[in-house]
Amino acid sequence: DRRLRRDLHQRGQGGLMTTESTATELEEVGPKGLFIVGGTVKEVITNSEARTVRDHLSSLLQVKNLVILLDSGASFHLGSPKTRNLTNQQVLDLIKDAGGEARSEDEALLATINPTDSGDLEKLLNGLQLAASLAAQAGQDAVTIGSGADARSYPKEDVEGLRQRINRALAEACRLPKAGKHLDAPYDVDPCLAHRTFLAGAVRSRRANLPRPRVFTTNYDLVIETALDELGYPYIDGFSGTVDRRLNLAFYGLDFHRVEMTTQSVLARAEGALYLHKVHGSLNWRSVSDRDRLTGLESLEVKQRDASTRDDELVLIYPTSAKEGDTLAYPYSDLLRLLGDAVQQEDTAVIVAGYGFADPHINRLLLRSLATNSALNVLVADPFAVLDDADLAALTPDAQQRQLDDLPLSAKQTAIAALAKAGDSRIAVLTGEHGKFTELARLMPGPSPQRETTTGVATLIEALEHAARGSAHSIP
């Protein structure tokens, strides 16, 4: 747009476009990214190479302890639901898409509790939860919401019912990839490609004598597990058993080794393994009260069930302000303790993707570790949290080796922007188009694990079976 280019030209200072021809050249290059280390711009990415980022990733992957933290942004390309800036109608559509019923009472309640029609799902659920709790505490059947002439009384059952329907809808929306939802290529035919590429790079690019990578995720979906299954990588997710799988955190102390079949002597540590921790629960976790057969004592167990089962016993931390209190309960407190222990180890790298630093209980662990662990390095990837599109588009390679604060830009007021401006050489931020999880996966060292091998084997088996059937039919 000519007006934008003219504005950028008028702002012409070091690190910004100064001519329309330069703007055109950069536009023709395609998506761009910005890589910042210790508050200094290390690379303005105008092509797909991003050599500085690749080199930085390669060095992080060789650090002794590798920790990976993935949040909802890592699944946006698969249709992961967004929880901010939602209109009331979008909340109702979320319920309908999950197969629920959005009633007229729900519409009226949403209009009262979210009058600006631009809601944060976490605040909305929190408001509904507080309203229902207030009515219960006061021993009332209804609660009044709003002020003045706009105040309305709502039955407690309606308030609690809407909260539960939104929770169910949110869980349902996290069943990815969602059937019937259009995805951009190549994920329309190969949904787990980016996750396989990322995980394969994290595992295969490390030296064999290094500890296993530890993946922590707040996501409920099963995309990581599906990607690992497609790769054929073994992983420990804290569950024991096969038929009756129950959470047993002692299993995080186990590992995989190859053994000689006859003598059972250890030959070598198995390749391609990692540890997976789902700190906010999972769609295939269920809470079960179990009674010990020997002692008769009752205990709370978390078991894995078929993820397609629809019920209200899901073990999940829903996005409300009460979630920090929820993390004090089992099993979340134990899983978060493992994250806290992991980031306190010497010679540790943390790669963060899709996480907007909206969870105080996780932020506290990361920030305290940065304050106390001088051997901790952090890379945060996020496409939108540092600069507006216009400011990002204005950058040229001349901005490299300059402090982000010294450039005539307006950084956003976000936690990730604050990290990007911090003068700490241990903190790196990758933003712009290359901050998307799909692009970060592509930048990971090592070959991209396509599905040709698996597909080829499947085709061979099918051909053999077809040939066998043909031979059987030809026998006189």
Side-chain angles (χ1 to χ4, degrees):
D1 156 315
R2 291 184 178 178
R3 183 167 51 188
L4 173 60
R5 291 179 187 156
R6 184 173 65 250
D7 291 344
L8 296 176
H9 176 76
Q10 291 171 352
R11 292 169 56 185
Q13 301 181 39
L16 295 179
M17 295 180 186
T18 56
T19 65
E20 285 197 15
S21 60
T22 306
T24 303
E25 290 173 5
L26 286 180
E27 284 175 358
E28 292 174 352
V29 168
K32 296 175 288 296
L34 183 65
F35 185 52
I36 306 158
V37 180
T40 301
V41 176
K42 291 297 184 181
E43 185 173 19
V44 178
I45 307 167
T46 58
N47 54 50
S48 60
E49 292 300 320
R51 290 189 178 89
T52 304
V53 181
R54 289 180 184 272
D55 291 344
H56 192 85
L57 279 169
S58 296
S59 64
L60 291 183
L61 293 179
Q62 300 310 318
V63 166
K64 181 179 179 181
N65 299 296
L66 176 62
V67 177
I68 296 169
L69 175 60
L70 302 180
D71 197 25
S72 59
S75 297
F76 278 166
H77 63 292
L78 299 178
S80 178
K82 297 183 179 180
T83 61
R84 290 176 175 80
N85 300 319
L86 296 174
T87 65
N88 293 334
Q89 185 57 51
Q90 287 175 319
V91 176
L92 294 173
D93 290 341
L94 188 68
I95 296 174
K96 293 175 184 176
D97 292 342
E101 179 186 357
R103 306 178 305 168
S104 58
E105 293 88 346
D106 295 340
E107 186 174 353
L109 178 53
L110 283 172
T112 302
I113 203 169
N114 183 30
T116 62
D117 201 30
S118 178
D120 181 317
L121 205 58
E122 180 170 328
K123 295 179 180 177
L124 178 60
L125 287 170
N126 183 56
L128 292 169
Q129 186 177 45
L130 290 175
S133 298
L134 178 62
Q137 179 67 28
Q140 298 175 343
D141 295 329
V143 60
T144 299
I145 303 174
S147 60
D150 296 328
R152 288 191 57 182
S153 179
Y154 294 93
K156 181 179 64 176
E157 289 75 12
D158 288 354
V159 175
E160 180 61 20
L162 177 58
R163 185 185 69 84
Q164 292 179 355
R165 283 189 288 277
I166 294 175
N167 279 343
R168 293 192 197 104
L170 182 60
E172 187 66 26
C174 290
R175 299 182 188 276
L176 304 175
K178 199 164 184 62
K181 185 175 180 63
H182 172 73
L183 301 178
D184 293 334
Y187 310 107
D188 53 344
V189 295
D190 190 1
C192 293
L193 172 62
H195 285 78
R196 288 202 318 276
T197 305
F198 179 85
L199 293 169
V203 171
R204 295 296 186 185
S205 299
R206 286 170 61 78
R207 297 192 303 274
N209 63 333
L210 293 174
R212 308 288 193 192
R214 292 189 174 273
V215 178
F216 293 84
T217 180
T218 60
N219 294 344
Y220 312 145
D221 63 60
L222 303 178
V223 178
I224 296 175
E225 293 93 322
T226 303
L228 290 171
D229 287 348
E230 291 178 358
L231 287 167
Y233 288 2
Y235 61 95
I236 292 174
D237 60 0
F239 281 79
S240 62
T242 301
V243 176
D244 183 20
R245 288 183 56 76
R246 63 183 64 199
L247 190 61
N248 183 354
L249 297 178
F251 268 54
Y252 282 120
L254 304 182
D255 203 345
F256 295 97
H257 289 79
R258 290 188 291 112
V259 298
E260 205 284 320
M261 295 300 292
T262 55
T263 64
Q264 296 298 300
S265 58
V266 175
L267 299 177
R269 195 172 65 152
E271 298 178 352
L274 54 75
Y275 296 96
L276 174 62
H277 313 73
K278 306 193 78 170
V279 297
H280 281 181
S282 181
L283 289 175
N284 62 342
W285 291 13
R286 297 296 184 275
S287 177
V288 179
S289 292
D290 225 2
R291 192 174 296 278
D292 187 81
R293 286 179 295 177
L294 296 178
T295 64
L297 296 176
E298 191 175 10
S299 62
L300 177 67
E301 295 285 351
V302 176
K303 296 189 177 184
Q304 280 189 354
R305 295 285 188 263
D306 184 352
S308 63
T309 303
R310 268 71 171 176
D311 56 41
D312 291 330
E313 299 302 322
L314 291 169
V315 179
L316 303 175
I317 291 183
Y318 290 104
T320 71
S321 62
K323 65 184 176 184
E324 185 161 7
D326 293 339
T327 63
L328 299 177
Y330 176 83
Y332 314 112
S333 59
D334 300 83
L335 292 166
L336 286 167
R337 176 179 51 79
L338 293 175
L339 173 59
D341 291 344
V343 296
Q344 283 289 354
Q345 302 301 311
E346 291 186 359
D347 197 17
T348 296
V350 182
I351 298 177
V352 182
Y355 177 60
F357 288 80
D359 294 331
H361 52 285
I362 294 178
N363 296 347
R364 185 165 53 249
L365 295 175
L366 295 178
L367 296 177
R368 285 181 179 175
S369 297
L370 277 170
T372 60
N373 185 2
S374 60
L376 177 68
N377 288 274
V378 178
L379 168 63
V380 180
D382 186 285
F384 309 118
V386 179
L387 298 175
D388 289 326
D389 291 343
D391 277 337
L392 185 62
L395 286 169
T396 70
D398 294 335
Q400 291 177 176
Q401 304 309 319
R402 297 187 61 184
Q403 289 294 114
L404 186 62
D405 269 342
D406 292 340
L407 296 173
L409 305 170
S410 298
K412 294 183 177 181
Q413 299 298 315
T414 66
I416 296 177
L419 289 172
K421 294 188 293 183
D424 189 330
S425 61
R426 299 173 301 158
I427 301 174
V429 174
L430 177 62
T431 191
E433 192 73 15
H434 287 72
K436 293 180 178 179
F437 177 76
T438 51
E439 290 299 306
L440 178 66
R442 188 180 58 79
L443 293 173
M444 293 289 281
S448 176
Q450 303 290 338
R451 304 184 69 173
E452 284 81 357
T453 303
T454 304
T455 305
V457 172
T459 303
L460 177 60
I461 293 174
E462 184 178 350
L464 292 173
E465 290 177 345
H466 179 76
R469 288 194 298 270
S471 300
H473 293 158
S474 64
I475 296 176

